[in-house]
Amino acid sequence: MMTPDRGRLLADTSTAGEDVESATVEPDVLIVGAGLAGIGMAITLLKEGRPNFVVLEKASRIGGTWRENTYPGCACDVASVMYSYSFAPNPYWSRMYAEQPEILDYIDRVAREYSLDSYIEFDTEAVSYVFDEFTDRWRVETRGGKVYAPRVVVAAHGALHNPEIPHFDGDADFQGAMFHSARWDEGVRLEGKRVAVIGTGSSAAQFIPRIAESAAHVEVFQRTAHWVLPKADRPIGPVERWLFARVPFLQFVYRNVAYWTHEVPVLAFMNPRLVKLLRAAALRHLRKQVPDPELRERLTPTYEIGCKRILLSNDYFPALQRDNVTLVAQGVTDLTSTGVRTADGAVHAADVVILGTGFSTNNRCADENIVGRAGVSIQEAWRDGMQAYLGTTVAGFPNMFMIMGPNSGGGAQSILFVIETQIRYIVRCLDMMTARGATRLEVRDDVQRDFNSWLHGRLSRSVWNAGGCTSWFLDHTGRNRQSWPGTGTSYWRRLRTPDPEAFRLSSATVSDRG
């Protein structure tokens, strides 16, 4: 393993840590975020012989969304064999769909194997990014006053990291505990309590069956029904794990089967004639698990399958039929001191309110101070909605790459496949800069504009846009800013080799300070 070159210090300092201002550090690459994207980026830079980088992590440990989400039942809805780095397969998954503690343990283990601790600055939150056109470097400041001047910034802080917390009239009057599922309050005991769950998305579908086992009563407030498909989950036995560890090709086969299984739904999302097959499977699952026709009607969506995120669950429908669980097909309008009020005026008593309301995705950089070329902020650049080129670069923001940027979502594909595809693309862009002696790389405005015109033209015919629903895929303009209009394979092909003609490459007007 190469010894870390943490970047040049511009001044000597005897102080350290986030509490005091320290010397400016000049790494080649600054990675923001130590979740799966940031860790994967760091390891790839090491593998490519580029050890001059720093990772900033605002928390005290790595893990990203798998560190933040600790609610009961938290699990991945992508098969475990696909939810791992291609360069670090895990033969020891205990289930076909791993739960949060096991995924977090996997991330920790991979980071230890590559000795990444020495590259990561923990408890260090980046709060300002300003591009210096004179030196072709970013000036990145942290909340604690530390300053970095990297040549390249890689934003790897994820798309789903800001909880969507609705504000209801009467919030301050409610006398019980209230928290979002992504900020689970471990100090609140649910045994014997009346629990109100607002929202029925993927997180809620996972924690409702678990909390129903201990709560006195759970009321689930559903504004919109969701399509649900069965989850092909089961324990992975000791014999399979033994074979995975000793015959890696067997796990490779499993991985490929899982990959192509996840590709199939995307074909339906882009082709209305195929989506009826998914709808039939979901309706069959609903009929099998919910015999009561009245409840089944309330759980049947009125929009096309795929328009919203499809849930994978075997225990959500059964949980809603427990004696201590009630489905309320009404939206919540406000809170009272003792519970919640629904749109029909009824008041429902509750000791605890849990928000399963998802994440804010409209503009993931809305609250960040990112200033690019000519003093343009990211808010100005995205005033009409987020847009990028191939989900990784944004015109006007040289030397800044995003992982899981706008319209790079994989539909039903593993996010880790997309992340690795983007990481390889970013490294090839760095190689292109090195080969041409360039200190600045920026996607051309016309290239980004033409790309987004093609992309949204394709998406306009997809189920995400034409499926008859509102969802977190769509922003305030009604455009889909999340999804790639095709399969993961088509995205991989587009990112195999950067097109030099898509970028402006140039050298700084002055040499680096030394």
Side-chain angles (χ1 to χ4, degrees), residues 479-513:
R479 285 200 160 191
N480 186 333
R481 308 289 180 175
Q482 308 300 328
S483 306
W484 169 254
T487 61
T489 304
S490 68
Y491 188 66
W492 170 80
R493 285 175 177 159
R494 284 294 298 264
L495 272 70
R496 287 185 70 182
T497 305
D499 178 8
E501 298 303 316
F503 301 98
R504 293 187 181 92
L505 291 113
S506 59
S507 298
T509 55
V510 296
S511 60
D512 286 346
R513 295 164 288 184

Side-chain angles (χ1 to χ4, degrees), residues 50-88:
R50 294 178 175 271
N52 186 6
F53 67 86
V54 176
V55 182
L56 301 187
E57 172 51 58
K58 66 181 180 180
S60 58
R61 64 166 299 173
I62 65 174
T65 189
W66 298 108
R67 176 195 64 236
E68 296 297 316
N69 286 272
T70 61
Y71 60 82
C74 181
C76 190
D77 55 7
V78 171
S80 302
V81 290
M82 271 303 297
Y83 206 79
S84 51
Y85 299 114
S86 62
F87 56 81

